Amino acid sequence: QLQLQESGPGLVTPSETLSLTCTVSGDSISSSGYYWGWIRQPPGKGLEWIGSIYYNGITYYNPSLKSRVTIYADTSKNQFSLKLTSVTAADTAVYYCASPYTSGRLGGPFDYWGQGTLVTVSS
Amino acid sequence: DIQMTQSPSSLSASVGDRLTITCRASQSISSYLNWYQQKPGKAPKLLIYAASSLQSGVPSRFSGSGSGTDFTLTINSLQPEDFATYYCQQSYSTPVTFGGGTKMEVK
């Protein structure tokens, strides 16, 4: 059974870098054909796709965030991570890692999700 | 980007009701439309994929239809556990985009 678990600081200072990690169990993130992604949800608002990484390391980002986002993988730890630079209060959100595991399509559907982690941007 | 517009944004309903939520894409997305259910404090849960395919384990009272730009999610005989927020999502092209959500509350 595939499981995803986010981890990282719950509080980030404005203008600093937000860093989160998703630990995957139940399969290897380097297994052929799988995408691993990040999706966020500001409090009381809707869902926004941040970006995804393919098993071979190719990354895909939402153009609205592309200049500030990096997604990378650590296959030795079976983890993939998110870095978001120059954060502001508008980046306060619950951040989910998710995978369109069964379909193997970049855009989804996302059938596996972590439980989410709230990141607050505040001084 | 493909814009996804859901309606209504909120609704009140009673147990046993039959409900329909609509989702409209700003351009044709064929059948690349997915529906999710989200309860407070929880991650979204996939209900319907490819517009009309029921995800494993999801009750058969949930159904989806549509293609092109117009889609619907129908819930037959609403159950207490169905009160939640529902989101549509297009998987036709990147960036992946979601509808704004439909919050369902008890009447």
Side-chain angles (χ1 to χ4, degrees), chain A residues 2 8 18 31 33 36 48 50 56-57 64 71 76 79 85-86 108 110 121:
Chain A
L2 189 73
L18 179 159
S31 292
W36 309 94
E48 179 181 34
I50 300 170
N56 59 7
S64 67
I71 297 174
S76 67
Q79 297 173 333
T85 63
S86 305
F110 294 91
V121 178

Side-chain angles (χ1 to χ4, degrees), chain A residues 18-35:
Chain A
L18 179 159
S19 297
L20 295 174
T21 294
C22 182
T23 300
V24 178
S25 59
D27 201 350
S28 170
I29 64 168
S30 57
S31 292
S32 180
Y34 294 122
Y35 291 93

